[in-house]
Amino acid sequence: MSKNYVQIDPKDNLIVAITNLAKGTKIAVAGKEIILKEDIKGKHKFALNDFNVGDEIFMYGVLIGKAVLPIKDGEAITTENIKHASADFNDSNEEYTWSSPDISNFEGRTFNGYHREDGKVGTGNYWLVIPLTFCENRNIDVLEGALAEKLGYETKKDFAVDTDALIAQYKAGASTEDIYNTPIIATKEELSKNRLFPNVDGIKFLKHDGGCGGIRQDSEVLCSLLAGYIANPNVAGATIFSLGCQNAQIEMLEKALKLVDPNSTKPVHYLEQQKSASERQLIEEAVKHTFVGLIEANKIERKPAPLSKLVLGLECGGSDGFSGISANPALGYASDLLVALGGSPVLAEFPELNGVEQNIINRCVNEEDASKFSSLMRSYSAAAIAVGSGFEANPSPGNIKDGLITDAMKSAGAAKKGGTSPVVEVLDYAEQITKPGLNLLCTPGNDVESTTGLAGSGCNVVVFTTGLGTPTGNPIIPVLKMSSNTNLFERMNDIIDINAGTVITGEDTIQTMGEKILEHIISVASGETPAKAVVKGHNDFIPWKRGISL
C-alpha cells in the first residue's frame, strides 16, 4: 500500500488517510484533485465529494452512513457530520461464482495434531473441569489449587514457591547453610518442563455465572455450549460438578452431548454435591477421577493430519481504521486458502455484519441458509432495539477514536475476515460446525462471548485481528492475535503474534500476508510455536446469556 491515502473501492466517496495529512495537502484520486480543508488524522477519512444533508456515503463499496450536515470535499468525516446507515436486504440469494486462490504452496501439507475417534483432530490436548452452576465455582477453585501447580500446569502467579523442598531438607537434617542454598522458585516455563503428563497441554477450569436463576432456555444453551467444549477435538475428557437443584441438570448436559456426538467415548465424570456425603468426599472423588483421566489423556501423541482438519475461528476486537484494509482482508485471504484446502473457517460476530447482509446472503450455497441468516440478523436487531439500543451502538469509544465512526463502516471492514468464498452453512449459537468451507456462526460482537462461542462450536484455532490491542484468549484453543499496524505490534509484542502492518507499509500484499498467516497457524496447530495468549494464560470464558434473570 505505502501511500498517504487510499480509496478502497471505486464506488467509495470517502478516502482513508494512511498517515497524518495536513490542511492544504493536494490529493489526486479517482480522476479528480482536491485540497484538504483541515488536518486529517491517520486512519480517519475525508470527503471525496461535496455532500448535502441526507446524501449517502460509501466505503468498501457499501453504504456506511448518511450526511447530517453539509460536507465539503477535503473535509473530515466525523460523528458530528454523518450518522450510521446501512443497506436493506432480502432473503433471496443470487447466483455466486467464486475463484479459489492458488494453493500450490500448501497442497499436501500437514500439521501435527491429536487425532480423536470421531475423525476430528485437535491442536491441543486438554482436560476440562466444569461447574454446571455458579454455586460450584468455589469447588472448582479448590480443585485447581490441588492440581494445576503440582502437576506442572500454569498458575495465576508468575512463579511458584516450592516450600516442599525446604521441608524435605529440614527432615533430612540439612544445615542452615544448605537450606539457604536450596532453590525454591520455579517459573511458569520451568514448571511446564516438569509436567507429570507431557502430552496433556493443561487442565482448564471453566468457571461461569450461569446454570441457574435465568430463564430455562439459557441453561439449555449453556449445556449445549459445554457439550461443544467437551466434544471439541482439543479436549480429552472432563470432570463435571453439579450442585443438584440448579436449572442446568446433569441430564440436560448428557442429552446435549448425545446430540453433539452420539458415539463419543470421551470420559466424562459427573459429581453431584447434594448426593455427596461431604464436601471433602466430593473433592477427593474429583481429584482422583481427574488424575485417572489425565493418565489416559497422556497416552495420545501428536501425529500428522491434513490441513482440511483445521477449523479456524475468525475474530476481531479493538478494531481501528486500518483493520479493514490490512489485518481483516489478509485473514480473509488465509480463510479462502483454507477453504480451497478443504478446511473450515468460521465467521462470527453478527452485529458486525450489519450493512453487508446482502453480500453474505448472495454467497450462501443454499436458500435455507440465506433465509436463516436473514432471520437471525433481523431478530438480533429487533432484540437490540427492544432494550433501547441497536446495531448502530456497536462501535466502542476506542473504535471511534481510531476512525471507525459508524457500525456499517466497522462491519464492512470486519466482514473482510470471511474472504470471498461461498457460505456453506449458517449456524446459531452453540450449533456445531460439520461442513467444510466457510461457516457463519451467530455470536455477539463482544470479544470473549464470541470467542467462547467459536470454541464451543468446534473451532480448534482462532485468529483474532486487532488495531488497538487485546489480551483475549480461550481455555482450550489457541487465539492468535494479529495487529493491523506495526506500531501496535511493537508496543504490545508480548501479546501480539502476527503483524499485518506490513500491508500498510507495502512490504506485504494481502496475498503474501495471507500465506504468512496460514504458515503461522500450521506452526501453532502443530505445537511448534505457542500462541502468546496460551503462554500468558489468557483463559477467557464467558457464555452468551440471551435471556433475562429470574
Side-chain angles (χ1 to χ4, degrees), residues 172-211:
S175 65
T176 301
E177 183 178 356
D178 288 338
I179 289 174
Y180 276 124
N181 289 331
T182 300
I184 60 170
I185 301 296
T187 65
K188 286 183 177 181
E189 292 74 20
E190 289 170 334
L191 283 171
S192 66
K193 290 178 182 177
N194 296 319
R195 286 178 184 169
L196 182 62
F197 305 113
N199 293 328
V200 180
D201 295 306
I203 313 168
K204 299 298 181 176
F205 304 86
L206 306 187
K207 292 192 295 182
H208 57 82
D209 63 358

Side-chain angles (χ1 to χ4, degrees), residues 7-180:
Q7 181 187 38
I8 298 173
D9 186 277
K11 192 176 180 180
D12 294 355
N13 50 19
L14 57 76
I15 308 300
V16 183
I18 300 301
T19 60
N20 292 336
L21 301 175
K23 178 181 178 180
T25 300
K26 290 184 178 180
I27 302 295
V29 63
K32 68 178 294 185
E33 185 176 278
I34 61 176
I35 297 175
L36 295 185
K37 296 176 174 58
E38 57 186 304
D39 293 342
I40 308 294
K41 292 181 179 180
K43 303 182 184 180
H44 287 259
K45 291 83 186 172
F46 56 89
L48 177 61
N49 310 314
D50 291 346
F51 297 113
N52 296 316
V53 174
D55 283 352
E56 295 182 333
I57 298 175
F58 291 84
M59 185 176 172
Y60 301 103
V62 301
L63 177 66
I64 58 88
K66 289 185 178 181
V68 295
L69 293 173
I71 306 170
K72 296 292 185 182
D73 64 8
E75 289 185 345
I77 301 297
T78 70
T79 53
E80 285 74 36
N81 58 25
I82 76 166
K83 67 176 181 179
H84 166 84
S86 59
D88 198 6
F89 56 96
N90 57 62
D91 295 358
S92 59
N93 55 343
E94 302 173 2
E95 185 175 345
Y96 183 75
T97 303
W98 181 57
S99 297
S100 61
D102 178 11
I103 57 171
S104 56
N105 290 338
F106 297 95
E107 285 184 300
R109 295 280 299 278
T110 62
F111 71 98
N112 285 323
Y114 296 98
H115 293 248
R116 305 299 179 187
E117 290 185 6
D118 60 4
K120 298 176 183 177
V121 180
T123 62
N125 191 30
Y126 294 97
W127 187 273
L128 299 183
V129 180
I130 303 173
L132 281 179
T133 173
F134 56 84
C135 303
E136 290 299 312
N137 282 345
R138 58 179 293 169
N139 288 324
I140 302 297
D141 286 335
V142 173
L143 205 66
E144 183 174 8
L147 292 172
E149 191 174 303
K150 289 287 186 181
L151 298 179
Y153 296 109
E154 67 183 46
T155 70
K156 295 177 181 177
K157 302 170 289 185
D158 289 330
F159 58 87
V161 179
D162 185 10
T163 308
D164 289 342
L166 299 182
I167 294 172
Q169 287 282 59
Y170 172 74
K171 287 183 175 180
S175 65
T176 301
E177 183 178 356
D178 288 338
I179 289 174
Y180 276 124

Side-chain angles (χ1 to χ4, degrees), residues 6 28 48 105 118 134 199 207 227 257 314 429 436 443 510 536-537 546:
V6 63
L48 177 61
N105 290 338
D118 60 4
F134 56 84
N199 293 328
K207 292 192 295 182
L257 269 171
L314 309 170
Y429 187 74
T443 73
I510 295 297
K536 291 286 184 179
R546 298 167 86 164

Side-chain angles (χ1 to χ4, degrees), residues 314-536:
L314 309 170
E315 183 72 21
C316 64
S319 299
D320 72 345
F322 286 163
S323 292
I325 59 179
S326 62
N328 290 344
L331 179 54
Y333 189 78
S335 169
D336 285 346
L337 288 171
L338 189 58
V339 169
L341 291 161
S344 304
V346 187
L347 181 63
E349 300 177 289
F350 275 27
E352 297 181 10
L353 297 178
N354 178 222
V356 295
E357 292 97 338
Q358 195 61 56
N359 173 268
I360 297 292
I361 288 168
N362 292 342
R363 288 165 59 184
C364 288
V365 171
N366 61 67
E367 291 184 6
E368 291 81 6
D369 281 308
S371 179
K372 183 176 182 179
F373 174 69
S374 174
S375 175
L376 285 168
M377 288 297 289
R378 293 190 192 281
S379 61
Y380 201 150
S381 176
I385 292 170
V387 294
S389 187
F391 285 162
E392 68 274 8
N394 179 268
S396 69
N399 296 148
I400 295 167
K401 182 181 178 182
D402 260 44
L404 299 177
I405 61 175
T406 73
D407 183 57
M409 179 188 291
K410 180 180 179 182
S411 295
K416 297 291 183 182
K417 301 190 304 292
T420 61
S421 66
V423 175
V424 297
E425 191 163 26
V426 175
L427 304 166
D428 201 354
Y429 187 74
E431 290 185 332
Q432 295 297 298
I433 299 146
T434 60
K435 295 182 180 180
L438 178 64
N439 287 253
L440 262 61
L441 176 66
C442 183
T443 73
N446 178 289
D447 298 348
V448 177
E449 288 179 334
S450 181
T451 306
T452 297
L454 285 166
S457 287
C459 291
N460 54 16
V461 62
V462 164
V463 174
F464 188 124
T465 68
T466 182
L468 304 175
T470 172
T472 301
N474 183 267
I476 66 169
I477 56 176
V479 178
L480 309 178
K481 248 59 67 56
M482 178 166 62
S483 64
S484 71
N485 61 89
T486 300
N487 178 267
L488 171 64
F489 181 72
E490 292 173 346
R491 283 188 295 106
M492 301 182 73
N493 187 255
D494 59 329
I495 63 172
I496 305 291
D497 300 86
I498 309 168
N499 177 29
T502 51
V503 174
I504 300 295
T505 57
E507 299 158 67
D508 274 300
T509 64
I510 295 297
Q511 292 74 24
T512 60
M513 191 69 234
E515 291 198 351
K516 288 180 180 180
I517 294 166
L518 186 52
E519 288 286 0
H520 198 98
I521 291 169
I522 294 168
S523 181
V524 170
S526 298
E528 297 166 359
T529 303
K532 292 183 179 180
V534 174
V535 173
K536 291 286 184 179

